[in-house]
Amino acid sequence: MKKTIHINIGGVPFTIDEDAYQRLNEYLELLRQHFKNKAEAEEIISDIELRIAELLFQKVENGKKIISIVDIDEVIDILGKPEDYEETGEEKSEESKSTSSGPKRVYRDEDSAVIAGVCSGLGHYFGIDPVWIRLIFVIVFFTMGFGVIVYLICWFVIPTAKTTAEKLEMKGEAVNFENIGKKVEENVKDLEKKIKDLGKEASEFSKGNLKDTGNNFKNGIYKLASLIELIFRKVFGVAFFVVGLLLFSVMCVIALNEWQIMSFTNDGVQSFNGSELLGLIVDNAENRYWILISLTMLIIVPAISLLFSGIVLLFNIKKSTKYVNIILLCFFVFAITSTSYYAYQLSAEFRASETTTETHTLALKQDKVLELVNSSVERMDDDLHCISQLSTDGKINHFHPTLTIEKTRGNEVELLLIKSSKGKTSTDAKAKASHIEYLFSVKDSTQLLLPNKYSYPKEDLIRGQDINMVLRIPVGKIVYLDKNMEEIIYDIPNTTNTYDGNMIEKYWIMTEDGLSPYEKVTVDI
Amino acid sequence: MNIENSKAQMRKGILEFCILSVLERGEAYPSDIIDELKKAKLMIVEGTLYPLLNRLKTDELLAYRWEESNSGPPRKYYSLTPKGKEFLDNLAETWKELENAVKNIRKTK
C-alpha cells in the first residue's frame, strides 16, 4: 500500500506517490539552494516547474495514472542536477562568492562529530568554529554540570542532517543577529518588489494566465506571514528557552541541596532546609521521599518542556516532538496525581482540633508592680514568624506564643495557658496539645519571665500546635511591659485603645473598665 | 585535464549563440529549443537552459509571451527583440572570425 498525494505543478493537477513527491521536493529545494543568490531565482524555478509539469504530463497522456518515484528520477535525469549545469563564467563567479540566504536550520553534523555532532551543528548554525562551542560546553560542564543536560537535550531534539538539502540548510548562512536583521530586510524588500510587480504582471498576464498572478499575490502574503512567524519564533524561542533553563537550573539546585530553600528577608538571604521541615510534618521517610520527588517533578517537567519548545522554535527544528511531549505529559500527570494524593493524606492528619487549658496561680507580692519580661535571648526576625526549629534535644521549637491581659474577680494573679493542636482524632489532638511545653517562671516575686517560644516532642510532628496565654489580674494591679514583650503580647484590650506596639515600656493599671495607662511617675517598686 | 570538462567549457560559450540562433527562426518555447539543442548534441541536461534564458531575458535580448496549451501547462514563448537580433548578428560575426581562425590554425598544424 502506498500513499498518494494530489499536487499541482504549473497549474496541472497530478496524482503522485508520497516518496516520489518527496524526491521532487528535495530536487526543487536543491535548485532553490543553487539559484538562491539570483534575483530571478523564483522565475527560473517556476520555468523549470513548468517543464517538469510538461514532462510528467506526457507520461499521463501515455496512460500513466500515478506518478511514481521512477518517473521523477527520469525527469530529474533529463533536467539534470544543479552541479551538472553548464553555466557561463559570470555565473560561476557569482556562485563562488555566494553565501546562502535560504532557509537555515540547525542539524547535527555527524560527519564532523566528536560525540553526536551537536557542537559542529551549532557551529554551522552560528557560523563559528565548533571548537568554541565545544569549549563553552566543557566549561559549563565543569562549573555546573548543566552542559551535559543541555547537550543531551540538544542531542535528542536536533535531528541529523541526512539528505543533501538538509546538509545545505545546515551549512546555510550563519544565523546571528546581524543576519537575522538582514533576512528581515530582504523579506521586506522582496515583498515590496512583489507588490510592485503585481501591477506590472497583472497586465502582462491579462491575456489568460490569471492563475499566476493569484499565485504571486498569495506568495506575497505568504512571505509576510512567514516574516511575522520568523520574528515570533525567535522572540518566543528565546523567552521559552531562558525561562525554562532558569527554572530548570533553580529546581536542580534546590533538589540537589535537599530542598535548601532560600528566602529573602530584611537582613539579606536566609535559607532553611525544606526537606528537614518536611521531616517535621511527615514522619514516614518513604512518603517524604515521594512528596519531594513529586514536588520536584511538578516544577522540573514544565521547565523541561519550556526548554524543549524554546530550542524547537529557536532553531526551526522540524523533528516531531510528539513522543517527548507524551512522556513529559505522563510525568506531569504523575506529579499532579501524587502531589494531590499526599496533600489529601496529610489533610487527614489535621482533621480534629482540640484545646486544653492550664491555670497557674502566680506567687507574687500583692502590692508590687508586676513586670512582664520576654526572657528569650535571641530576637526573632519578623519575616520568620511561622518557621519552626528542631532543637538539639529533639524537640520542635515554635516561636510567638501570644499573651493577652484580662481582669479577674479574685485576688490572685493567674496565668492561663490555652494549648491547642490538630490531629487525626480528637484524642490524638488532645494528647498533642497537652504535650506542649511552655517554660515561664516568676523571679523575685515581681517579675514574670515569659520565653518567646514553646516546644513539643519531635514525635508529635508539626500539627498546628499553638499556645495562647491569658494573664488575669485583679483590679488595682499595676503591670509593666518590658520592651521585648512586643513579640509576645497580642491585641491586649485597654481603655485607651492603644496598639500593642505602643503599650510596651509603659505602666498599666487594671481598673473596673479594663487596663488603663498608669501615669504616676514615682513608682514604688 | 578532464576532457569532459574541456568539452563543457567549449559548449558553454556557444550555447548562448545557438539559443539566439534558434529563436532567430521564430518564436519558440523552451521544449522546442531543448529539442533543437539536443538534436545538435549541444545540451547534456535541460536545467542549463533555464538560467540562460532568464539571463537573456533580463538583458532584454529576449521577450516572452504566455500561451495556454490544450495539452499540459501554459507555455512561455520566447522571441528575439531588436536588441537581441543586433546582439546575435554581432555574435555571428565573431563566430565566423573564430571559425576561420580555428580553421587556419588547424591547417597550419
Side-chain angles (χ1 to χ4, degrees), chain A residues 43 51 54 79 87 205, chain B residues 12 31 46-47 57 66 76:
Chain A
E43 199 179 341
R51 177 65 178 157
E54 206 170 64
L79 284 165
E87 281 164 292
F205 291 147
Chain B
K12 246 186 232 172
S31 300
E46 293 188 6
K57 188 210 78 186
W66 284 101
K76 224 174 179 178

Side-chain angles (χ1 to χ4, degrees), chain B residues 2-18:
Chain B
N2 188 341
I3 182 69
E4 279 309 315
N5 196 12
S6 303
K7 281 185 192 167
Q9 291 285 338
M10 283 174 106
R11 266 201 301 269
K12 246 186 232 172
I14 299 165
L15 209 50
E16 223 172 79
F17 177 45
C18 291

Side-chain angles (χ1 to χ4, degrees), chain A residues 220-263:
Chain A
I221 297 286
Y222 176 77
K223 272 272 161 68
L224 182 67
S226 63
L227 170 67
I228 293 169
E229 192 203 312
L230 177 84
I231 294 168
F232 269 84
R233 198 177 266 282
K234 300 291 168 191
V235 168
F236 279 99
V238 168
F240 281 10
F241 184 79
V242 168
V243 172
L245 192 66
L246 221 68
L247 208 58
F248 184 72
S249 326
V250 167
M251 266 326 282
C252 281
V253 171
I254 289 176
L256 290 175
N257 285 316
E258 297 196 309
W259 281 75
Q260 195 81 31
I261 298 168
M262 304 283 193
S263 65

Side-chain angles (χ1 to χ4, degrees), chain A residues 143-212:
Chain A
T143 48
M144 301 289 274
F146 291 133
V148 183
I149 293 153
V150 174
Y151 192 94
L152 288 177
I153 290 179
C154 288
W155 188 347
F156 199 68
V157 176
I158 301 173
T160 329
K162 285 191 198 94
T163 66
T164 324
E166 281 170 350
K167 280 179 185 165
L168 280 168
E169 275 183 336
M170 174 178 75
K171 288 175 183 170
E173 191 176 9
V175 181
N176 48 42
F177 284 106
E178 207 181 302
N179 283 337
I180 290 174
K182 215 162 77 189
K183 171 89 182 167
V184 168
E185 216 170 274
E186 267 171 27
N187 280 357
V188 171
K189 269 194 192 145
D190 203 28
L191 187 67
E192 275 172 13
K193 188 173 161 263
K194 274 267 156 62
I195 291 169
K196 264 188 216 153
D197 286 355
L198 208 60
K200 227 191 322 178
E201 283 174 9
S203 52
E204 275 180 32
F205 291 147
S206 58
K207 275 182 191 165
N209 208 324
L210 279 167
K211 247 176 282 167
D212 258 46

Side-chain angles (χ1 to χ4, degrees), chain A residues 37-68:
Chain A
N37 47 340
K38 287 201 178 169
E40 303 81 12
E42 271 178 58
E43 199 179 341
I44 296 175
I45 286 164
S46 69
D47 285 350
I48 292 177
E49 273 183 26
L50 279 180
R51 177 65 178 157
I52 292 172
E54 206 170 64
L55 290 168
L56 292 178
F57 191 77
Q58 282 167 13
K59 289 183 187 292
V60 173
E61 278 195 321
N62 290 339
K64 189 103 192 174
K65 290 231 163 57
I66 296 164
I67 307 295
S68 71

Side-chain angles (χ1 to χ4, degrees), chain A residues 323-338:
Chain A
Y323 294 108
V324 184
N325 291 340
I326 288 172
I327 292 166
L328 285 175
L329 190 69
C330 288
F331 274 111
F332 194 63
V333 167
F334 167 78
I336 284 189
T337 317
S338 108

